[in-house]
Amino acid sequence: MLRRLTKTQYVDGILAGNRMILSRAITLTESSLLSDRALAREVLEAVLPYTGKAVRIGITGVPGVGKSTFIESFGKYLTKQGKKIAVLAIDPSSPISKGSILGDKTRMEELSQEPLAYIRPSPTSGDLGGVTQKTREAMLLCEAAGFEVIIIETVGVGQSETLVKGMVDFFLLLMLAGAGDELQGIKKGIMEMADLVAITKADSGNEHFADLAKVEYQNALHLSPPNPTGWFPQVITCSALTQKGISEIWASVEKHRSVLSENGNFDKIRSQQNLEWMHDFIKQSLEEHFYQHPSISTHIHTVQQEVSEGKKLPVNAAMELLNLFYQK
Ligand code: GDP
């Protein structure tokens, strides 16, 4: 059992870039103990002035598209330039399967050995909202510890993309050449969120198909509604094996930042994201409070049964529970 650190020890350690303390601080934010969470919030509040300077990049794509291989290659490209990078993950499957797809550190074996890189697996408990909240906090802690590029990896399934989009500056979608129409249809909503679509595995004879896919995606993006930020999403072919496209992708991230900083949208988006964060936190705390309330936990099973058997109208059942909650 590790000795509990004080707020000052956490704050000083994080600001000094001490990874062991950074990891412990992230663990603290993931704790379900109320006292830990209170301490975590105090630590976050204290380091807040030292956050916000990093480039925040979200990366998504279906399992197998090559995300972790790409991050390894992209990450090494950045560390070679002396940049400190942190890789965080949001894996909504982990609370259900109890085994995190993205949590397996060995997937980025080389990068994890780079002194300038820090890799943290997805929080493994809580619902998607809770996991997202914890990842936001981990991101701030990493920024305070001096990481200049934060990469948030998400599995391309479900709503985690929307949540990640809400916490990053730049959203990168990895796609494969020759994926069927059906898959592309599913991805359409996600494609509209992308600042950059990268067609991966453009190597080993696959280059021609990647170029064809590039044109196809460029056309699809032209048909999408214009991006309100003033940025025109790009499509680049790349390979994690040959490094093709890796430097262009970083150049695109930097260009995006300068375009949005100049037109004023960079700060605007960051402050909107902070407001969203606040509202998400309120919603989550209320929900948690509601379900943990003794009268709710006593009655909810009976009421659920009545609703599922069609004996009670869902709205009336919800009102009944809400009344119990407010009666205290
Ligand atoms: P993830 O599930 O999206 O994280 O995908 P992985 O990074 O685990 O990659 C899935 C498979 O694709 C692995 O066998 C990789 O070796 C392979 N792969 C990833 N990137 C590339 C690439 O750029 N070129 C080629 N040829 N294979 C790749």
PDB file of all heavy atoms in Angstrom, residues 20 37 40 44 70 91 111 123 178 188 210 270:
ATOM      1  N   MET A  20       5.983   9.231 -12.055  1.00  0.00           N
ATOM      2  CA  MET A  20       5.390   8.342 -11.061  1.00  0.00           C
ATOM      3  C   MET A  20       4.247   9.095 -10.358  1.00  0.00           C
ATOM      4  O   MET A  20       3.156   8.564 -10.177  1.00  0.00           O
ATOM      5  CB  MET A  20       6.487   7.930 -10.068  1.00  0.00           C
ATOM      6  CG  MET A  20       6.185   6.693  -9.295  1.00  0.00           C
ATOM      7  SD  MET A  20       5.622   7.120  -7.673  1.00  0.00           S
ATOM      8  CE  MET A  20       7.100   7.822  -6.956  1.00  0.00           C
ATOM      9  N   ARG A  37     -11.574  11.684  -4.818  1.00  0.00           N
ATOM     10  CA  ARG A  37     -12.051  12.584  -5.866  1.00  0.00           C
ATOM     11  C   ARG A  37     -11.935  14.039  -5.438  1.00  0.00           C
ATOM     12  O   ARG A  37     -11.603  14.909  -6.233  1.00  0.00           O
ATOM     13  CB  ARG A  37     -13.511  12.285  -6.179  1.00  0.00           C
ATOM     14  CG  ARG A  37     -13.637  11.025  -6.972  1.00  0.00           C
ATOM     15  CD  ARG A  37     -14.886  11.113  -7.786  1.00  0.00           C
ATOM     16  NE  ARG A  37     -15.471   9.805  -7.913  1.00  0.00           N
ATOM     17  CZ  ARG A  37     -16.714   9.581  -8.275  1.00  0.00           C
ATOM     18  NH1 ARG A  37     -17.511  10.595  -8.511  1.00  0.00           N
ATOM     19  NH2 ARG A  37     -17.171   8.367  -8.407  1.00  0.00           N
ATOM     20  N   ALA A  40      -8.398  14.931  -5.750  1.00  0.00           N
ATOM     21  CA  ALA A  40      -8.064  15.042  -7.179  1.00  0.00           C
ATOM     22  C   ALA A  40      -8.519  16.400  -7.718  1.00  0.00           C
ATOM     23  O   ALA A  40      -7.801  17.049  -8.483  1.00  0.00           O
ATOM     24  CB  ALA A  40      -8.728  13.911  -7.953  1.00  0.00           C
ATOM     25  N   LEU A  44      -6.250  19.276  -9.384  1.00  0.00           N
ATOM     26  CA  LEU A  44      -6.546  19.796 -10.724  1.00  0.00           C
ATOM     27  C   LEU A  44      -6.690  21.323 -10.713  1.00  0.00           C
ATOM     28  O   LEU A  44      -6.175  22.009 -11.588  1.00  0.00           O
ATOM     29  CB  LEU A  44      -7.842  19.170 -11.247  1.00  0.00           C
ATOM     30  CG  LEU A  44      -7.677  17.774 -11.843  1.00  0.00           C
ATOM     31  CD1 LEU A  44      -9.010  17.056 -11.908  1.00  0.00           C
ATOM     32  CD2 LEU A  44      -7.064  17.876 -13.236  1.00  0.00           C
ATOM     33  N   PHE A  70      -0.092   3.400 -36.048  1.00  0.00           N
ATOM     34  CA  PHE A  70       0.046   4.785 -36.508  1.00  0.00           C
ATOM     35  C   PHE A  70       0.557   5.680 -35.371  1.00  0.00           C
ATOM     36  O   PHE A  70       1.489   6.473 -35.551  1.00  0.00           O
ATOM     37  CB  PHE A  70      -1.306   5.320 -37.019  1.00  0.00           C
ATOM     38  CG  PHE A  70      -1.265   6.787 -37.310  1.00  0.00           C
ATOM     39  CD1 PHE A  70      -0.766   7.246 -38.529  1.00  0.00           C
ATOM     40  CD2 PHE A  70      -1.671   7.722 -36.363  1.00  0.00           C
ATOM     41  CE1 PHE A  70      -0.683   8.607 -38.791  1.00  0.00           C
ATOM     42  CE2 PHE A  70      -1.579   9.082 -36.612  1.00  0.00           C
ATOM     43  CZ  PHE A  70      -1.083   9.518 -37.833  1.00  0.00           C
ATOM     44  N   ASP A  91     -11.789   3.834 -24.158  1.00  0.00           N
ATOM     45  CA  ASP A  91     -12.235   2.555 -24.677  1.00  0.00           C
ATOM     46  C   ASP A  91     -13.542   2.183 -23.992  1.00  0.00           C
ATOM     47  O   ASP A  91     -13.550   1.677 -22.888  1.00  0.00           O
ATOM     48  CB  ASP A  91     -11.145   1.519 -24.380  1.00  0.00           C
ATOM     49  CG  ASP A  91     -11.565   0.141 -24.828  1.00  0.00           C
ATOM     50  OD1 ASP A  91     -12.675   0.007 -25.377  1.00  0.00           O
ATOM     51  OD2 ASP A  91     -10.780  -0.798 -24.620  1.00  0.00           O
ATOM     52  N   LEU A 111       7.217   2.945 -28.655  1.00  0.00           N
ATOM     53  CA  LEU A 111       6.925   4.308 -28.180  1.00  0.00           C
ATOM     54  C   LEU A 111       6.951   4.372 -26.654  1.00  0.00           C
ATOM     55  O   LEU A 111       7.422   5.342 -26.066  1.00  0.00           O
ATOM     56  CB  LEU A 111       5.561   4.756 -28.716  1.00  0.00           C
ATOM     57  CG  LEU A 111       5.187   6.205 -28.440  1.00  0.00           C
ATOM     58  CD1 LEU A 111       6.172   7.173 -29.086  1.00  0.00           C
ATOM     59  CD2 LEU A 111       3.769   6.516 -28.934  1.00  0.00           C
ATOM     60  N   PRO A 123      -9.277   4.427 -18.701  1.00  0.00           N
ATOM     61  CA  PRO A 123      -9.834   4.079 -17.390  1.00  0.00           C
ATOM     62  C   PRO A 123     -10.744   2.868 -17.572  1.00  0.00           C
ATOM     63  O   PRO A 123     -11.447   2.768 -18.575  1.00  0.00           O
ATOM     64  CB  PRO A 123     -10.673   5.304 -17.016  1.00  0.00           C
ATOM     65  CG  PRO A 123     -10.243   6.395 -17.916  1.00  0.00           C
ATOM     66  CD  PRO A 123      -9.661   5.762 -19.133  1.00  0.00           C
ATOM     67  N   GLY A 178     -10.486   0.834 -49.967  1.00  0.00           N
ATOM     68  CA  GLY A 178     -11.267  -0.320 -50.394  1.00  0.00           C
ATOM     69  C   GLY A 178     -12.273  -0.820 -49.381  1.00  0.00           C
ATOM     70  O   GLY A 178     -12.780  -1.929 -49.524  1.00  0.00           O
ATOM     71  N   LYS A 188     -20.126   8.011 -42.060  1.00  0.00           N
ATOM     72  CA  LYS A 188     -20.366   9.332 -42.632  1.00  0.00           C
ATOM     73  C   LYS A 188     -20.438  10.424 -41.548  1.00  0.00           C
ATOM     74  O   LYS A 188     -19.785  11.453 -41.653  1.00  0.00           O
ATOM     75  CB  LYS A 188     -21.639   9.332 -43.470  1.00  0.00           C
ATOM     76  CG  LYS A 188     -21.703  10.518 -44.387  1.00  0.00           C
ATOM     77  CD  LYS A 188     -22.761  10.387 -45.442  1.00  0.00           C
ATOM     78  CE  LYS A 188     -22.791  11.608 -46.318  1.00  0.00           C
ATOM     79  NZ  LYS A 188     -23.072  12.850 -45.601  1.00  0.00           N
ATOM     80  N   ALA A 210      -5.057   3.296 -52.258  1.00  0.00           N
ATOM     81  CA  ALA A 210      -5.105   4.392 -51.281  1.00  0.00           C
ATOM     82  C   ALA A 210      -5.338   5.719 -52.002  1.00  0.00           C
ATOM     83  O   ALA A 210      -6.123   6.557 -51.539  1.00  0.00           O
ATOM     84  CB  ALA A 210      -3.809   4.428 -50.489  1.00  0.00           C
ATOM     85  N   ARG A 270     -12.159  26.080 -27.484  1.00  0.00           N
ATOM     86  CA  ARG A 270     -11.698  25.633 -26.167  1.00  0.00           C
ATOM     87  C   ARG A 270     -12.653  26.104 -25.066  1.00  0.00           C
ATOM     88  O   ARG A 270     -12.949  25.364 -24.134  1.00  0.00           O
ATOM     89  CB  ARG A 270     -10.297  26.171 -25.891  1.00  0.00           C
ATOM     90  CG  ARG A 270      -9.196  25.417 -26.626  1.00  0.00           C
ATOM     91  CD  ARG A 270      -8.494  24.465 -25.684  1.00  0.00           C
ATOM     92  NE  ARG A 270      -7.479  23.667 -26.334  1.00  0.00           N
ATOM     93  CZ  ARG A 270      -6.177  23.701 -26.007  1.00  0.00           C
ATOM     94  NH1 ARG A 270      -5.742  24.521 -25.072  1.00  0.00           N
ATOM     95  NH2 ARG A 270      -5.338  22.902 -26.618  1.00  0.00           N
TER      96      ARG A 270
END
